[in-house]
Amino acid sequence: MTIATGKKKEKIDRLAELAARDDERGVSLWQEAFRRLRTNPAAVVGAVILGLFLLVALVGPFLVPHAPDAQLWKDEVRENIGYIPGPRAENWFGVDHIGRDEFSRMIVGARQTLLVGVVATLIGLAVGSLIGGIAGAAAGLGGRWGRAVDNVLMRFIDMLLAMPSLLLAISIAAILGAGLTTVMIAVGVVSVPVFARLLRGSMISQSNSDYVLAAVSLGVKKPKIALTHVVPNSLAPVIVQATLTLATAIIEAAALSFLGLGNNDASIPEWGVMLADAQRYLDAAPQLAILPALGIIITALGFTLLGEAMREALDPKLRK
């Protein structure tokens, strides 16, 4: 196992351990975290960025001035002399290489980017939580046979963690073929080991809590303890990680689209595809590459700022 993989595992396990600790003053973990988030400038900036992104992605496509696939200004494009109309009154961001309004495509592309990021994260969250939940319950409450099950599942997860995430996503996308669904599955699979190990670690920490020992002594069945008590109290770090995973999902989805493994329907704009298409026209219209790149960077930054702020807010060492 590489040093990088070991550090990655330690970081995940650390978050699970921190979120599993109780507040000695009896204040709810989420109440205290929310209080600290409101006074954290990074969290506020991240929330503002995400709020604007969600507004644009959900409402913007209904307000765009032109259809994103309409080639209304194709006659004005002169590829032979390297001329593509830039920003002007009727086209705020200019037009692309086949005469489509770039502003409309950026707005509609935000929805596609959000769709890919959310669905990919949900895939990773669902599958990872299933594996991590089984492993955590088996290790914390299953005795000798439970530890054997946990060992098998975690060795599989370790193999996935040991592979570079982008390389794993590219491999999966190459096997399944290019397409939007392929990108969602590939990026979702990459995040499975993170969620699995995180939930497992949190559940193991919760399994040593007093309320679990009390439930066991009262004769409550262990599957019921795991489902109704341990799992609900172990979800805090998983929710935090989902916010961070959205940022990486957007970047990795854009990378797959840039490599030609993403959406193959040219009529549906997506920031990664737009960035790939613009590479041939950097001299004539650099804004065609700069705008989708900025969209990806700023959106990922928003998710990262909010996710890191939530991680800090859950750290009991920083709670006063």
Side-chain angles (χ1 to χ4, degrees), residues 39-105:
T39 59
N40 188 328
V44 174
V45 173
V48 170
I49 293 174
L50 294 187
L52 292 175
F53 173 66
L54 291 175
L55 182 65
V56 170
L58 298 177
V59 181
F62 299 103
L63 305 176
V64 291
H66 308 285
D69 58 344
Q71 303 176 18
L72 301 177
W73 295 274
K74 186 176 182 179
D75 295 338
E76 298 184 27
V77 177
R78 300 287 186 271
E79 288 193 43
N80 57 337
I81 61 174
Y83 173 73
I84 298 177
R88 53 190 180 181
E90 56 184 337
N91 308 109
W92 292 355
F93 292 168
V95 302
D96 67 0
H97 60 288
I98 56 176
R100 297 173 296 192
D101 181 56
E102 187 71 4
F103 175 76
S104 300
R105 291 179 62 77

Side-chain angles (χ1 to χ4, degrees), residues 140-217:
L141 301 170
R144 182 164 60 92
W145 290 106
R147 287 190 291 271
V149 172
D150 170 64
N151 189 51
V152 172
L153 292 175
M154 284 301 102
R155 296 298 75 75
F156 171 71
I157 292 300
D158 287 344
M159 286 191 296
L160 293 179
L161 273 176
M163 297 183 64
S165 58
L166 186 57
L167 179 60
L168 178 59
I170 292 174
S171 302
I172 296 172
I175 293 172
L176 298 179
L180 189 62
T181 303
T182 295
V183 172
M184 295 176 184
I185 294 174
V187 176
V189 170
V190 167
S191 62
V192 165
V194 177
F195 286 115
R197 191 168 186 87
L198 190 57
L199 182 58
R200 169 189 175 270
S202 184
M203 288 184 66
I204 291 175
S205 297
Q206 289 289 339
S207 297
N208 297 323
S209 300
D210 292 340
Y211 72 87
V212 174
L213 297 177
V216 172
S217 65

